[in-house]
């Protein structure tokens, strides 16, 4: 079973400043079909999650370009270039390369 | 507009059963894997199960294997999660999710399952 570990657990950020979240996997997330099924999601309090990034670095429909992501193998990063108030909440990475699928434990982004 | 609407949650006693449903609309249901994900109060997301487009492939988290069964009715654009032998630790909001790109691309609002005597 693949375990995803996110760092930091909590990230206080000043509005307009960048933020970065790391997701590390216990196994390579490269699938035999050549794709890497690592995605990033954002959940605001009281709301369901929403997809931000799929297959490591592809922004989902409607996601602002201040969100970017990168990585390969076992190490992945989500970056927000300039944090806005609406970005608060919890960020999760998720892998669907190997069953069972799994989520990281979450990173809480809050404004200083 | 893509929509997934989950329902069927409620209060059930330990050892009891419940069936969750997820009505899908706004996309070609038969073209996408579907997922169930849960979230206990104040906790993180936990993946529960997924099913392929025709129901021939199903995967489960170890914590629910043998107790939960995922299924789909493509004629009704509906996903199901049959939950048997429920335990207190199954208490959570259960989300239905549309697959795609190896991710969960659309989420329901969630349905609360409470297992308590």
């Amino acid at each position: 079973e693949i375990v995803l570990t996110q760092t930091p657990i909590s990230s206080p950020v000043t509005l307009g400043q960048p933020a970065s979240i790391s997701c590390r996997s216990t196994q390579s997330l490269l699938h035999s079909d050549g794709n890497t099924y690592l995605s990033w999601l954002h959940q605001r309090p009281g709301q369901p999650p929403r997809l931000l990034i799929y297959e490591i670095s592809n922004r989902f429909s409607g996601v602002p370009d201040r969100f970017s992501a990168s990585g390969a193998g076992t190490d992945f990063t989500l970056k927000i270039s300039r944090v806005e108030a609406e970005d608060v909440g919890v960020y999760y990475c998720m892998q669907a390369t190997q069953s069972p699928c799994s989520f990281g434990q979450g990173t809480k982004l809050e404004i200083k | 507009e893509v929509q997934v609407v989950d329902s069927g949650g409620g209060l059930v006693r330990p050892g009891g059963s419940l069936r969750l449903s997820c009505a899908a609309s706004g996309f070609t249901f038969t073209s996408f894997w579907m997922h169930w994900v849960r979230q206990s109060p104040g906790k993180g997301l936990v993946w529960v199960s997924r099913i392929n487009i025709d129901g021939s492939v199903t995967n489960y988290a170890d914590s629910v294997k043998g107790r939960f069964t995922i299924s789909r009715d493509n004629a009704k654009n509906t996903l199901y999660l049959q939950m048997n032998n429920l335990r207190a630790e199954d208490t959570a909001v259960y989300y239905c999710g549309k697959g795609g790109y190896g991710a969960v691309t659309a989420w329901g609002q969630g349905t609360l399952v409470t297992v308590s005597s």
Side-chain angles (χ1 to χ4, degrees):
Chain A
E1 180 171 334
I2 293 176
V3 176
L4 301 179
T5 302
Q6 292 181 225
T7 54
I9 297 298
S10 176
S11 179
V13 183
T14 301
L15 287 174
Q17 292 301 302
S20 179
I21 300 169
S22 170
C23 176
R24 180 162 290 178
S25 174
T26 52
Q27 299 178 37
S28 173
L29 298 184
L30 178 63
H31 193 276
S32 57
D33 65 7
N35 294 314
T36 298
Y37 297 117
L38 186 283
S39 57
W40 290 93
L41 304 103
H42 176 218
Q43 185 177 33
R44 297 187 180 105
Q47 294 188 15
R50 69 166 183 137
L51 180 65
L52 296 175
I53 302 286
Y54 64 92
E55 291 178 14
I56 301 178
S57 59
N58 297 282
R59 274 191 304 276
F60 192 58
S61 174
V63 175
D65 60 8
R66 65 179 181 275
F67 290 92
S68 64
S70 61
T74 61
D75 289 290
F76 305 91
T77 303
L78 174 70
K79 293 182 179 179
I80 309 173
S81 59
R82 294 173 303 279
V83 171
E84 298 188 3
E86 64 182 20
D87 299 337
V88 298
V90 182
Y91 290 81
Y92 296 92
C93 56
M94 175 191 171
Q95 70 82 19
T97 292
Q98 182 181 116
S99 182
C101 302
S102 50
F103 290 92
Q105 76 275 42
T107 294
K108 187 174 185 178
L109 185 75
E110 50 196 6
I111 305 300
K112 279 183 185 175
Chain B
E1 180 193 1
V2 171
Q3 273 200 316
V4 287
V5 179
D6 24 42
S7 62
L11 174 63
V12 61
R13 297 190 185 280
S17 298
L18 209 56
R19 189 176 83 157
L20 305 183
S21 299
C22 170
S25 61
F27 63 98
T28 304
F29 185 68
T30 52
S31 296
F32 293 91
W33 287 64
M34 297 293 292
H35 298 255
W36 288 101
V37 175
R38 69 185 183 185
Q39 186 170 35
S40 300
K43 302 295 185 183
L45 301 173
V46 175
W47 180 83
V48 173
S49 182
R50 67 180 174 182
I51 187 168
N52 74 334
I53 59 175
D54 63 4
S56 60
V57 176
T58 57
N59 301 129
Y60 297 93
D62 288 346
S63 58
V64 307
K65 202 174 293 183
R67 300 187 299 123
F68 290 13
T69 302
I70 190 172
S71 63
R72 63 192 296 162
D73 185 334
N74 284 345
K76 295 182 178 179
N77 287 358
T78 302
L79 174 73
Y80 301 102
L81 185 69
Q82 177 67 44
M83 304 185 295
N84 298 330
N85 192 20
L86 283 160
R87 306 166 179 166
E89 54 265 36
D90 296 319
T91 293
V93 173
Y94 284 73
Y95 294 103
C96 161
K98 168 182 174 281
Y101 308 115
V104 181
T105 56
W107 295 71
Q109 286 299 308
T111 186
L112 176 62
V113 173
T114 303
V115 184
S116 174
S117 54

